[in-house]
C-alpha cells in the first residue's frame, strides 16, 4: 500500500478512462505584496500499485506557478496547465527495446484555426495519452575518443583552454571520474534518498530559489540561484552587463571574463548551480527575454554560450543552459505550442545548447512551453518541454551526449512520468508552490515500487545530479550558503558576504566594448572637449526610486542597465550617464558647462536646454522582461518596437534646435529609428544595450574616445516592424493553447532579410569605428591531421553521405575539429588604433535549401594605426554541413561552398570557396 498525493489519487480513480478537462487560467498581476498560492486538495487516499499500473490517464490539474525560472517571491502569477505525459513512439531510448516502445501510443485531436482578424490567433488543442505501463531503462551510451595532443586535450571544467583557442577540450575523462564517484556514493542510498536528490524541497523551503536537501554527510545538498547576469536576491554582488551586451562585443575573451567573474561570485555566496546562461534565440524582435540571451544568430549565440559556460564553471559553479527549447516569447509561454521542423530545430535552436554541452555544462533547464518538432512529414511529437522524450532523450542525451542533468523550470513539471521522458530534477519540487505535494518525491517512489518506472532510471537521475557536483569539485572546501533569497535583510540568515572583488572593471570594459556606433557624421564623435553640453532624457539620470526601487527591476525610470524579471540582480550602485558626463567634462576643462533636462514629455523644456549648446546628448531606452511583471502595458514582451517614454518626439525636438545632436540608446533589443535617423542634425548614434552597474562610465569612455567603439549588432535593426520574418503571437484566453508556427524555418533575422531582398536600417553584424579597416589576401586551404582516428567518417562526409548523429554523433570530434583554414589580412587605414570584428559567412550551394549566407566565424583584431594583422578563422565539417532529416545526421551538401569575409553581414570585402 502506498499513500499518494491527493491529485494522483484522484487520477487513479479514473481507471481505464481517458479524461480531458479544460483548466481555467488567471492573469498575472504586478504586485509588491506576497500572495499565497493555494489549492483545494482532497483528503489523502490510498491506491494499490496494481490499479495505478493498469490505468491509462490524461490528467488536467490546476498548477499554481510563479511565472519565472525562479522568480521573485514577491510577485506571483497563477497559471493553469493541462497536464499530460508523452513518450515518443519513434524512440527506443525510454524502453531500451522497440517492443516496449511500441506499447506507447499517442492520440491527437487537434483543433486548429488560421490567424486572421476574424478568427483570432492560431490555436491548438491536443489530447495526448500515455498508458501507465512498465518502462524499463537502458543508460545512454557514453561516446569516447582518445585525447589528441594539440587538438583534443583531456582537461577539467576548472581549467579550460583559453578563449578563442582552437583546442577542443575533452571533458569525457573528468565526467567519467565524476560519474564513477557518484555511482559509488549513491550505491549505499535507499530508494527514498535517491528520489530526494531529484526533488526540490519546495517553494521557499530553503534559502535559495531552488534547493536539493542534504542526503547524507557526504552530500550536503544543492543551492540553485538566478541569474544569467549575476547572483540574484542578495547583496554585495556585481550587476553585470546583460547577455545581449556581452554578445554585442563579439569578443570571446570578454565573454569568458564575464562568465568567470560571475562564477566566482556565485561560488563565493555558496551557490552550487547558477541558473544561466540563457540561450534562447532572438527570433522575435519584441521577445521579452531576448536581452538575457545572445542575439538572433545561432553561431554567435553558440559561441557566447560556450565561452560563458566555460567561464562560469572555471569559477567553480555549475552552469545551467536554459530554456530548453523553443521558448522565444513570453506571452502565453505556459500555453503556447511551438511548432518547429526538425532541420530548423537542429541548425538553429538546438545549436547553442549543443555548444554548451561541448563546454561541459553541468545542467540544462527545460522550458515552460509545449514544443512540437516535426521529424517527418507524417509524424509530430508534441508535449511539454519538460517531458518531451524527443528533445530531452533523443536530441540532448543521445545525439549530443549530454552527461549532466535536466531540471525543470520553476513550475514547468507536469507529471511523474516526466522521469521516463528525460527529466532528472523537479524544481522547485512541489506541484503547487508550498503545497507539500510533488510529482517526484513520494509519487516517484511509488512509481518505482509498483514497477511503472525502473529503479535504474532513478539511479541514473541521482547519478547525473551528484556527478555534476563532483565534476566541479564542490565536494571539497565549498562555501556554505550565506544569504536568504526570500528574506534579504534577515540578520540570522544573511552574512552579507562581499564577493565583488574588482569585477566592476570587466563590467565597464564590456559596457564600452558592447556599445555599437551606428552613425557618425563628420567626425561628431569622439567628443573634442566641448565647452557646453546638454544632457537630455530620463535615461541619462538616476531613478527616483534608486537603482533597486522596482522589484526585479520592473519599472523604467532612469538609466536602463538591465531588463526586468528573474534574470536580474541587485545593483550595488548604478552610475548614471549624467554623473559620469559631468566628471569627464570637468577633466577636460574646469570651465565646461553641463546642463540637463530629464522630463521626456516636456519637449519645449528639452529644446530650451539644448539650444546653443556645443553638443546635445539625448538618452533613450526600450525595456522588456518576464511576463509576471507588466510595465506600461508591456506584459514581458514589448507591445511594439518604438522607443519608450516619448523617445522619438524628444529627439526631434532637440534636433530642431541643435545641429550636433548625439543619441544614445539603452535597449533590450531592436527598435525602429526611422522618425529621426536621417535627420542631418542627428550627427551620431550609439547603441549601448544594457551595460550593468557601470553604465555611465562605459558610455563616457566611448563618447570621449578613451575606447574606440568596436561593438557589432547581434541582431538586425529594421526599417519597419513588419520587415521581420517572425512576429509576436498574441491573443488567447483561459485554457486555450496558442500555436506558434516557426514557418520562417532557417530564415531567422538577417537570413530572412537576405532571402527576401529587404533592406534593413542596420544589418546584423554592423558597427562603425573611429578608424577604418581594409581587407586583403584571402587564402583558404584544407588542414591535414597526423592522426587517423576518424578517417572513415571523414571520408563518408567528403563523399556527401549522411553520418548518423545518434550516440553522440552531433558532438563528435571528427565533425567539429578544424578542417579548413581561412586566413586574410586586416589593415588599419585610419588615424587611430582600433579593434575590428572580422566576420566570416558561408554560402551553401543553391540546392542545399539554406539561407543566402550564414555566420560561421568571427575574430576581434586589435590593429595599431597604420598596422596590419593576419587573421585565421577555421571551419569544421560541422560548419559546412546541413541536417539531413531523413538520414538523421549531418551531411555535406553537393556543390560549391562559398566563403565571404567582411565587416558585417552586408559589408563583405573578400570572397572565395572551400576546396572540397
Amino acid at each position: 500500500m502506498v499513500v499518494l498525493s491527493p491529485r494522483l489519487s484522484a487520477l487513479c480513480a479514473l481507471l481505464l478512462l481517458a479524461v480531458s478537462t479544460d483548466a481555467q487560467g488567471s492573469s498575472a498581476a504586478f504586485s509588491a505584496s506576497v500572495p499565497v498560492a493555494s489549492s483545494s486538495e482532497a483528503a489523502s487516499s490510498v491506491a494499490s500499485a496494481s490499479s495505478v499500473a493498469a490505468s491509462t490517464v490524461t490528467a488536467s490539474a490546476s498548477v499554481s506557478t510563479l511565472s519565472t525560472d525562479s522568480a521573485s517571491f514577491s510577485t506571483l502569477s497563477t497559471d493553469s496547465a493541462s497536464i499530460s505525459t508523452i513518450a515518443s513512439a519513434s524512440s527506443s531510448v525510454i524502453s531500451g527495446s522497440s517492443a516496449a516502445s511500441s506499447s506507447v501510443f499517442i492520440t491527437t485531436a487537434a483543433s486548429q484555426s488560421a490567424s486572421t482578424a476574424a478568427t483570432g490567433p492560431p490555436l491548438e488543442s491536443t489530447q495526448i495519452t500515455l498508458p501507465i505501463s512498465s518502462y524499463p531503462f537502458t543508460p545512454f551510451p557514453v561516446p569516447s575518443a582518445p585525447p589528441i595532443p594539440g587538438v583534443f586535450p583531456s582537461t577539467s571544467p576548472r581549467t579550460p583552454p583559453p578563449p578563442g583557442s582552437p583546442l577542443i577540450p575533452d571533458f569525457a575523462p573528468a565526467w567519467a571520474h565524476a560519474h564513477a564517484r557518484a555511482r559509488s556514493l549513491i550505491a549505499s542510498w535507499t530508494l527514498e534518498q535517491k528520489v530526494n536528490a531529484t526533488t526540490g524541497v519546495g517553494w521557499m523551503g530553503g534559502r535559495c530559489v531552488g534547493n536539493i536537501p542534504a542526503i547524507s554527510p557526504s552530500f550536503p545538498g544543492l543551492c540553485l540561484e538566478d541569474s544569467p547576469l549575476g547572483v540574484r536576491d542578495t547583496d554585495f554582488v556585481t550587476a553585470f552587463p546583460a547577455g545581449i551586451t556581452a554578445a554585442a562585443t563579439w569578443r570571446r575573451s570578454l565573454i569568458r571574463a564575464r562568465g568567470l567573474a560571475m562564477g566566482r561570485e556565485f561560488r563565493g555566496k555558496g551557490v552550487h548551480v547558477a541558473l544561466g546562461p540563457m540561450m534562447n534565440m532572438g527570433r522575435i524582435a519584441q521577445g521579452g527575454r531576448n536581452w538575457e540571451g545572445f542575439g538572433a544568430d545561432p553561431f554567435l549565440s553558440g559561441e557566447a554560450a560556450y565561452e560563458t559556460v566555460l567561464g562560469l564553471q572555471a569559477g567553480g559553479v555549475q552552469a545551467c543552459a536554459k530554456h530548453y527549447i523553443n521558448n522565444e516569447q513570453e506571452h502565453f509561454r505556459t500555453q503556447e505550442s511551438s511548432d518547429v521542423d526538425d532541420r530548423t530545430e537542429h541548425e538553429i535552436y538546438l545549436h547553442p545548447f549543443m555548444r554548451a554541452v561541448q563546454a561541459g555544462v553541468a545542467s540544462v533547464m527545460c522550458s515552460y512551453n509545449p514544443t512540437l518538432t516535426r521529424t517527418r512529414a507524417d509524424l509530430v511529437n508534441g508535449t511539454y518541454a519538460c517531458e518531451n522524450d524527443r528533445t530531452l532523450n533523443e536530441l540532448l542525451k543521445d545525439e549530443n551526449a549530454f552527461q549532466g542533468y535536466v531540471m525543470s523550470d520553476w513550475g514547468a513539471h507536469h507529471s511523474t512520468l516526466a522521469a521516463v521522458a528525460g527529466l532528472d530534477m523537479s524544481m522547485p519540487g512541489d506541484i503547487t508552490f508550498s503545497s507539500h505535494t510533488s510529482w517526484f518525491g513520494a509519487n516517484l517512489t511509488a512509481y518505482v515500487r509498483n514497477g511503472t518506472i525502473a529503479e535504474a532510471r532513478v539511479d541514473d537521475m541521482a547519478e547525473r545530479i551528484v556527478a555534476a557536483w563532483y565534476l566541479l569539485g564542490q565536494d571539497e572546501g565549498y562555501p556554505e550558503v550565506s544569504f536568504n533569497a526570500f528574506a534579504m535583510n534577515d540578520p540570522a540568515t544573511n552574512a552579507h558576504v562581499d564577493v565583488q572583488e574588482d569585477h566592476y572593471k570587466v563590467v565597464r570594459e564590456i559596457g564600452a566594448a558592447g556599445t555599437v556606433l551606428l552613425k557618425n557624421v563628420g567626425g561628431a564623435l569622439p567628443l573634442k572637449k566641448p565647452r557646453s553640453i546638454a544632457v537630455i532624457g530620463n535615461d541619462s539620470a538616476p531613478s527616483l526610486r534608486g537603482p533597486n526601487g522596482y522589484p526585479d527591476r520592473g519599472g523604467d525610470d532612469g538609466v536602463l542597465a538591465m531588463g526586468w524579471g528573474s534574470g536580474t540582480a541587485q545593483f550595488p550602485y548604478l552610475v548614471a550617464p549624467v554623473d559620469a558626463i559631468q566628471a569627464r567634462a570637468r577633466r577636460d576643462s574646469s570651465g565646461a558647462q553641463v546642463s540637463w533636462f530629464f522630463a521626456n514629455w516636456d519637449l519645449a523644456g528639452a529644446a530650451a536646454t539644448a539650444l546653443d549648446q556645443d553638443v546635445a546628448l539625448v538618452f533613450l531606452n526600450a525595456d522588456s522582461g518576464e511576463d509576471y511583471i507588466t510595465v506600461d502595458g508591456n506584459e514581458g514582451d514589448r507591445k511594439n518596437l518604438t522607443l519608450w517614454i516619448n523617445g522619438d518626439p524628444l529627439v526631434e525636438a532637440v534636433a530642431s534646435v541643435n545641429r550636433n545632436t548625439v543619441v544614445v540608446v539603452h535597449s533590450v533589443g531592436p527598435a525602429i529609428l526611422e522618425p529621426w535617423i536621417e535627420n542631418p542634425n542627428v550627427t551620431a548614434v550609439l547603441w549601448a544595450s544594457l551595460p550593468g552597474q557601470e553604465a555611465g562610465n562605459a558610455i563616457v569612455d566611448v563618447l570621449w574616445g578613451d575606447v574606440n567603439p568596436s561593438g557589432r549588432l547581434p541582431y538586425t535593426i529594421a526599417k519597419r516592424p513588419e520587415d521581420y520574418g517572425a512576429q509576436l503571437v498574441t491573443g488567447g484566453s483561459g485554457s486555450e493553447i496558442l500555436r506558434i508556427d516557426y514557418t520562417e524555418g532557417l530564415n531567422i533575422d538577417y537570413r530572412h532579410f537576405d532571402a527576401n531582398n529587404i533592406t534593413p536600417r542596420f544589418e546584423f553584424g554592423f558597427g562603425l569605428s573611429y578608424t577604418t579597416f581594409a581587407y586583403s589576401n584571402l587564402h583558404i586551404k584544407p588542414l591535414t591531421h597526423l592522426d587517423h582516428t576518424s578517417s572513415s567518417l571523414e571520408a563518408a562526409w567528403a563523399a556527401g553521405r549522411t553520418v548518423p548523429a545518434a550516440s553522440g554523433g552531433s558532438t563528435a570530434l571528427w565533425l567539429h575539429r578544424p578542417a579548413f583554414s581561412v586566413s586574410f589580412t586586416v589593415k588599419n587605414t585610419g588615424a587611430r588604433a582600433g579593434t575590428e570584428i572580422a566576420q566570416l559567412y558561408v554560402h551553401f550551394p543553391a540546392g542545399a535549401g539554406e539561407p543566402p549566407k550564414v555566420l560561421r566565424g568571427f575574430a576581434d583584431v586589435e590593429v595599431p594605426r597604420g598596422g596590419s594583422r593576419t587573421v585565421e578563422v577555421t571551419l569544421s565539417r560541422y560548419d559546412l554541413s546541413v541536417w539531413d532529416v531523413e538520414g538523421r545526421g549531418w551531411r555535406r551538401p553537393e556543390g560549391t561552398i562559398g566563403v565571404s569575409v567582411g565587416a558585417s553581414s552586408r559589408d563583405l570585402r573578400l570572397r572565395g570557396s572551400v576546396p572540397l
Side-chain angles (χ1 to χ4, degrees), residues 343 347 746 844-851 882-883 891 893-894:
R343 181 170 175 179
E347 294 188 23
L746 301 175
F844 284 98
E850 289 287 311
V882 299
W883 178 255
R891 174 177 58 83
E894 183 179 355

Side-chain angles (χ1 to χ4, degrees), residues 482-496:
S482 60
F483 65 98
N484 187 337
F486 301 101
M488 287 177 53
N489 296 316
D490 174 22
T493 54
N494 289 279
H496 306 290

Side-chain angles (χ1 to χ4, degrees), residues 845-870:
E850 289 287 311
K853 72 175 78 74
V854 293
L855 181 70
R856 284 294 187 265
F858 60 87
D860 58 287
V861 192
E862 294 185 20
V863 190
R865 175 183 176 182
S868 298
R869 292 286 185 269
T870 298

Side-chain angles (χ1 to χ4, degrees), residues 198-450:
T198 74
T199 310
V201 301
W203 183 243
M204 297 181 68
R207 289 164 63 180
C208 304
V209 291
N211 304 270
I212 293 294
I215 308 300
S216 67
S218 299
F219 184 74
L222 299 174
C223 163
L224 297 82
E225 185 65 41
D226 287 314
S227 80
L229 58 67
V231 189
R232 183 172 174 238
D233 298 324
T234 186
D235 51 14
F236 296 99
V237 296
T238 302
F240 289 89
I244 199 66
T245 312
T249 69
W250 291 61
R251 295 168 73 168
R252 291 178 174 88
S253 59
L254 290 180
I255 298 171
R256 176 80 69 86
R258 172 179 175 268
L260 178 61
M262 288 195 298
R264 291 176 61 88
E265 294 199 9
F266 276 102
R267 186 184 189 278
K269 286 288 189 177
V271 176
H272 298 92
V273 187
L275 299 176
M278 186 278 220
M279 55 194 69
N280 296 110
M281 297 299 302
R283 171 180 179 263
I284 300 168
Q286 296 163 244
R289 300 183 74 177
N290 288 356
W291 58 273
E292 294 184 42
F294 302 118
D297 178 80
F299 185 86
L300 176 61
S301 295
E303 295 308 289
Y306 178 82
E307 295 295 347
T308 302
V309 169
L310 289 179
L312 282 166
Q313 298 198 160
V317 72
Q318 299 179 42
C320 176
K322 66 180 189 182
H323 310 86
Y324 186 78
I325 190 171
N326 308 132
N327 184 188
E328 271 74 44
Q329 74 171 53
E330 284 298 284
H331 180 71
F332 255 51
R333 65 180 180 180
T334 63
Q335 292 172 240
E336 59 91 348
S337 183
S338 300
D339 192 347
V340 190
D341 71 86
D342 190 44
R343 181 170 175 179
T344 297
E345 190 79 293
H346 278 83
E347 294 188 23
I348 303 289
Y349 301 97
L350 183 59
H351 175 84
F353 291 94
M354 180 201 74
R355 289 295 281 152
V357 171
Q358 290 181 302
V361 71
S363 63
V364 169
M365 180 191 292
C366 51
S367 54
Y368 287 116
N369 55 292
T371 185
L372 296 95
T373 303
R374 298 187 181 274
T375 56
R376 299 170 183 82
D378 60 346
L379 177 63
V380 177
N381 170 22
T383 189
Y384 283 103
C386 287
E387 50 189 42
N388 192 312
D389 167 57
R390 172 157 169 71
T391 58
L392 298 181
N393 281 335
E394 186 176 342
L395 301 189
L396 184 62
K397 292 183 177 179
D398 184 31
E399 288 183 11
N400 286 284
F402 174 56
Q403 296 188 54
Y405 59 95
V406 176
M407 72 174 74
S408 70
D409 204 335
W410 270 233
H413 184 188
H414 295 290
S415 73
T416 304
L417 284 177
V420 173
L423 182 67
D424 300 303
M425 179 188 288
S426 179
M427 276 291 138
D430 32 19
I431 295 174
T432 300
F433 287 116
S434 305
S435 67
H436 306 292
T437 62
S438 179
W439 291 116
F440 282 179
N443 286 323
L444 180 55
T445 302
Y447 268 51
V448 172
R449 287 184 170 152
N450 68 32

Side-chain angles (χ1 to χ4, degrees), residues 226-227 229-232 291 552-553 562-570:
D226 287 314
S227 80
L229 58 67
V231 189
R232 183 172 174 238
W291 58 273
D552 291 344
R553 314 300 80 80
M562 64 177 68
W564 74 72
S566 66
T568 58
Q570 295 288 107

Side-chain angles (χ1 to χ4, degrees), residues 28-30 67-68 71-72 75 77 232 552 565-566 626-630:
F30 173 67
S67 298
T68 67
S72 169
T75 308
S77 169
R232 183 172 174 238
D552 291 344
S566 66
E626 205 165 351
D627 77 341
Y628 69 95
I629 296 176
T630 296

